[in-house]
Amino acid sequence: MSNTFRTGTIALAVSMALGTVSAYAAEGDKTKAEDVEKIVVVGSRGAPRSVNDSPVPIDLIGSEELKRGGNTNMLELLKGTVPSFNVHENPISDAASLVKPANLRGLSSDSTLILVNGKRRHKASVIAMLGGGINDGAQGSDISVIPSSALKQVEILRDGAAAQYGSDAIAGVMNFVLRDDAEGGSLTARYGSYYEGDGDTMEVSGNVGMPLTKDGFVNLSFQYKNSDATSRSVQRPDAAGFIAEGVSGVGNPAQVWGSPEVNDDITIFANVGLDLGNNNEAYMFGNFSERDVRGGFYYRNPHTRGGVYSNDDGASLLIGDIAQAAGDARTCQPVAITTGNVITQDDYIANVTNDENCFAFNEILPGGFTPNFGGNIVDTAITMGTRGELDNGVMYDVSGSVGMNESSYVIYNTVNPSLGLDTPRDFNPGKHTQLEKTFNVDFSKDIDVDMFDNLMVAGGYEWHAESFEVTAGNVESYEAGPYTDQGFGIGSNGFPGFKPESAGVFSRQNYALYVDVEAQITQDFLIGTAVRYEDYSSFGSTTNYKVTGQYNITDDFSLRGSISTGFRAPTVGQANYSNVQTELKEGKLVDTALLPATNPIAVQLGAQELTPEESFSHTLGVVWTIGDVFITLDYYNIVVEDRVSKSDSYTLTDADRDALKAAGVANVDSINGVSFFTNDFDTTTSGIDLISNYATEVFDGDATFSLAYNYNKTEVDRYTDVTGDFKVSRLENDLPNHRATATWSQSWDQVSFLLRGNYYGEYQGVHVDYDATAITGDAAITLDAEVSYFINDSFTVSLGAQNLLDQQATEIDIPGGAIPNNNWGGKYYETSPFGFNGGFYYVKASYNF
C-alpha cells in the first residue's frame, strides 16, 4: 500500500473529526502530503505536541512518548502528559472502581468525546454512582482498555467539537490512532511494585505488523496484565475497640482504602487496511478486552449496622424470630447492647445463643464484615469502512461501527439479611450492557475559487443507535426474605441485585447532518465554520455551530481562536437506571435508592425528565516559534447549562411515604434515601494552557525539553438544594487550579533517559464525602524517571519510577473534632490529584523485530 495514500486518508479522517480540514493531499501532490504529515502524523520524540498551523489547540502524543510514560494504563499515561487531564483513584466507590472516570478541563468524564481512528467510541456500561463529586452519575468511555502498544499516536483536541461530532464533545476530543505498520513488531515484559511493597503489577504486551497481500497491512496488538490491590489504611477505632474486647473475626485493618485488584486483564486490538487501487482503501479495526476487578467496601459494625445488626444505631440488637417468620407469634426477647462485646452478655446468651428460635448475625459474623465489590468487564468493538477519491475529485469515507461494553457485577463477603442465617455470602447482582451502532458517510472536496488560496468543503450524515440493558441478578441478591417484616434489610448488603421489574433494554436513535467549510482566505489567514443538525428520538433536535480562525502575523507568530456551541445528551442509562447503593450520609452508612427521574418516588421529590446539557465556549490563543523553541498559549471559557448529574440524597419523610403508598408504590418503607438524575446546575469553566517544546543537542546527545502548564477553574453559576452546597464545593475545589509538567528526554547511541517533574496545586481534601469544614490539600511536586539501555538493535532494558521521591498525599486531618481522623480507616484524602499510593518502581525488557 502507498504510505502517502494511507497518511493522506488518515489525515482526512482526523481533520474532519476535528473540524480543521487541512490542505488534503492526493498521492501525486508531494508538497501538500508533507504538510499533512506535519499536522496529523506525529513522528518521534522531539516533535511538537501542539500543531502550529491549526486554528484550535491539538496535542499530539507519539508512540515513543507513550512507551516511556512509566505506566501502561492509558488513564495514567495521559494524566502524566496532559496537565488538564485528571484521574482520581476513587477507592470504595461502587462501580467507579471498575471503570475509573477521568476529567478533561475539570468537566465530567462524559463531556469528552473519545474516538479511535477518527470514529466515535462507545461508552462504558458503568455509571459512576460515587464518582467523586465531579463524576457523580457520569457515563463516559472506558479508555483504559486501549493499550499503548497498539497506538501510533494520541491526538487531543482541547476545544469543543459538538458541531463536528455531536454529543459529548463539550470539553474536547481524544482520538486514539492505531498503529498501521505492515512489518516488524515488538514484545515487552514489565514488572512493577509500589515502594510500600504492594500493588505488584506484571504485564506482557506486544505488537506485530504483517502485509495483507502486497497492498495492505494487518497490525495486531495485545496486552495481558495482573495488578494486586493496595492498602493505605489505618485501623478504624471501632474495629480496634472490638479487638480489645476480644471480639473474633475483626480484620486488621477492618476496612481497606486502596486501589482494587485487577486480574486477567487482556486486550487485543487489530487494525487492517487494504489499498483497492485508484486512491481507494478498505479498512477495519476493532478490539476485544476483558478483566476482573475486586475492590473494597465499608466495614459493617457488628453493633450498629442497620438492617443487619441493629435498627436503633446500636442501642439494641436486631434479633430474628424463626417462628414469627413462619406466621406464629413472636417469642424472642430484646437484647440491649451494654458492653463492647454483645455476645458475652448474659441476656444475649440466654435469649439468642440458648434459644433455637432466635438468632442474630453476630452468631455467624461476630466481628462484623466488609464486603468486596467487583465484576467482570468485557469491551469489544469493530469498525469497517472504505474511503478514497471519486472521479470528480470528491473524497469520501463510508463506515459502520458496533461497540459493546458489559459489566457483570459481583459482591463478596456480604449477606442478604432478610434471608436470615441461610443467606449466601457471595452474590451476582446482575449486569449492565451498553450497545452502540454508528453509520457515517463523509464527503469533502477542494474547490477552486479565485478569491481564496484554498477552499475545502466537507459534510456528511451520521446515524447512531444506543441501548442500555439491565439484566436481573440472581434471586438471592434482591429478594425480600422471610425476615423482612422484622426489620432485616433486603438484598445483598451494599449492592442489592437488580430486580426483574428493573430489568430491560432501553434504547434511542439519533441522526445528524453536518457541514464544514474551511477557507484559506490568504496565505496568512484561515477561517473555518461548521454547522450540525441532530435529531434524537427521545427529546427532539438541536443545531450547533462552530467558527474557527487563525492569522499569521509573521512567519513565527500567529493568533488563533474559536467560538462554538455544543450539547451533551443524557445517556440512555442515566435516563432509565435504578439501583440501591450504600453511601455515607452525615457520617452514617445508609442504603440510598437511585431512581430514574420519571419514577413516582423521584417525581414526588421534584424530579423532572432529563434534557440535554447545552454549552457555549470560546478560545483565544497564540502560536509562537522562537528559534528552536515552540510555544502555544490558549485561553478557554466553557459555559455549560443544565448539567446532568446525580442529585443529593433525600431522606423520605412520613408524608412522602404516605403519599407514595397511596399512589400504590411498593416497598417504600425499605428505602432510607433517594437520589435521581437531574439538570440542576450551570457552570463556567475557564483556564489557560501553555505548552512549550525545545529540541537541541546536550552532552553529545539529542535532547528534548518540554513544559506544559494548565490553569483551570470551575464556578457553579446556578444550583438548588437538589445539588447542595457540598456538591458545589466539590465541583469547584476538588481539582487543583494549577497543574504543570516539565520533561527532559535525552538519548545517546546506547542509553536514553527521561526525567519529568509534575506540579500539583492545592486542592480540596475530601474523605468519605464527609460534609464538614473545607480542607485544603497541600501542593506537591513529584518526579518520574526512566533509564533505558540498548543492548543492541533488538533488545532494550529499562528501569524507572513514578513518584521517584515517594511524595505522600496529604494525610487526613478533619478539624474541629467533627470526627476522628481515622474514623473510617483512611490515611490520605482520596481527592489527591497524584494518588495516594506513593512511589512505584518498575523494570521492563523490550524486544523489537
Side-chain angles (χ1 to χ4, degrees), residues 22 60 82 143 164-165 190 205 208 241 369 447 461 486 494-495 588 603 627 703 730 734 741 744 835:
S22 309
L60 299 180
V82 182
I143 64 176
Q164 292 85 39
Y165 258 82
R190 181 177 180 271
S205 62
V208 60
F369 61 98
I447 301 176
Y461 167 83
Q486 298 181 32
F495 197 92
K588 297 180 181 180
V603 173
R730 300 210 65 179
D734 272 13
T741 65
W744 176 14

Side-chain angles (χ1 to χ4, degrees), residues 255-291:
Q255 179 176 306
V256 173
W257 291 89
S259 300
E261 177 184 356
V262 182
N263 291 313
D264 297 327
D265 185 353
I266 185 168
T267 291
I268 300 171
F269 262 84
N271 190 25
V272 181
L274 180 64
D275 192 338
L276 302 177
N278 297 320
N279 287 341
N280 298 297
E281 177 190 23
Y283 58 89
M284 178 177 68
F285 56 89
N287 77 287
F288 172 82
S289 305
E290 183 176 11
R291 65 182 182 272

Side-chain angles (χ1 to χ4, degrees), residues 16-330:
M16 290 181 68
L18 302 180
T20 56
V21 181
S22 309
Y24 174 71
E27 185 172 0
D29 193 336
K30 302 298 184 183
T31 302
K32 288 185 178 180
E34 291 174 1
D35 291 339
V36 168
E37 291 181 13
K38 292 178 182 178
I39 294 172
V40 177
V41 180
V42 175
S44 59
R45 287 174 307 190
R49 296 194 301 127
S50 287
V51 184
N52 62 354
D53 52 357
S54 168
V56 290
I58 304 174
D59 290 335
L60 299 180
I61 306 170
S63 59
E64 289 301 318
E65 187 171 358
L66 292 171
K67 289 177 183 177
R68 303 179 66 181
N71 195 314
T72 56
N73 184 296
M74 188 54 58
L75 292 171
E76 297 298 325
L77 275 173
L78 294 175
K79 185 176 78 170
T81 309
V82 182
S84 58
F85 189 81
N86 290 275
V87 183
H88 283 151
E89 288 295 331
N90 292 326
I92 309 184
S93 53
D94 268 358
S97 12
L98 308 185
V99 177
K100 289 197 295 187
N103 312 101
L104 183 66
R105 288 183 163 175
L107 296 173
S108 61
S109 63
D110 47 14
S111 294
T112 300
L113 175 64
I114 304 302
L115 308 174
V116 173
N117 279 357
K119 304 299 181 181
R120 176 181 283 268
R121 181 76 176 171
H122 60 278
K123 301 178 185 67
S125 54
V126 164
I127 300 177
M129 299 310 169
L130 303 177
I134 295 169
N135 292 302
D136 287 343
Q139 187 183 3
S141 299
D142 183 8
I143 64 176
S144 68
V145 303
I146 306 175
S148 58
S149 60
L151 294 177
K152 183 178 184 178
Q153 64 191 36
V154 180
E155 302 161 354
I156 302 176
L157 168 65
R158 293 178 276 111
D159 195 33
Q164 292 85 39
Y165 258 82
S167 180
D168 306 345
I170 288 177
V173 177
M174 291 186 176
N175 182 38
F176 296 86
V177 182
L178 301 176
R179 296 177 65 98
D180 57 3
D181 305 285
E183 60 183 11
S186 63
L187 185 66
T188 301
R190 181 177 180 271
Y191 169 81
S193 182
Y194 286 99
Y195 291 5
E196 294 283 343
D198 58 9
D200 290 7
T201 301
M202 291 174 286
E203 175 193 305
V204 178
S205 62
N207 172 267
V208 60
M210 299 173 288
L212 180 63
T213 73
K214 63 182 180 62
D215 296 318
F217 69 92
V218 176
N219 193 274
L220 301 175
S221 305
F222 82 95
Q223 179 177 279
Y224 177 81
K225 66 179 178 180
N226 290 282
S227 300
D228 292 342
T230 66
S231 175
R232 301 297 176 265
S233 316
V234 295
Q235 182 62 291
R236 290 171 47 134
D238 55 351
F242 287 128
I243 293 174
E245 291 287 342
V247 178
S248 62
V250 182
N252 188 12
Q255 179 176 306
V256 173
W257 291 89
S259 300
E261 177 184 356
V262 182
N263 291 313
D264 297 327
D265 185 353
I266 185 168
T267 291
I268 300 171
F269 262 84
N271 190 25
V272 181
L274 180 64
D275 192 338
L276 302 177
N278 297 320
N279 287 341
N280 298 297
E281 177 190 23
Y283 58 89
M284 178 177 68
F285 56 89
N287 77 287
F288 172 82
S289 305
E290 183 176 11
R291 65 182 182 272
D292 294 309
V293 183
R294 182 168 178 168
F297 239 32
Y298 293 110
Y299 170 64
R300 271 58 175 167
N301 184 300
H303 284 183
T304 62
R305 174 55 176 149
V308 184
Y309 292 103
S310 174
N311 276 339
D312 52 14
D313 204 23
S316 64
L317 200 63
L318 181 57
I319 299 174
D321 189 305
I322 299 173
Q324 182 184 2
D328 296 331
R330 182 177 180 87

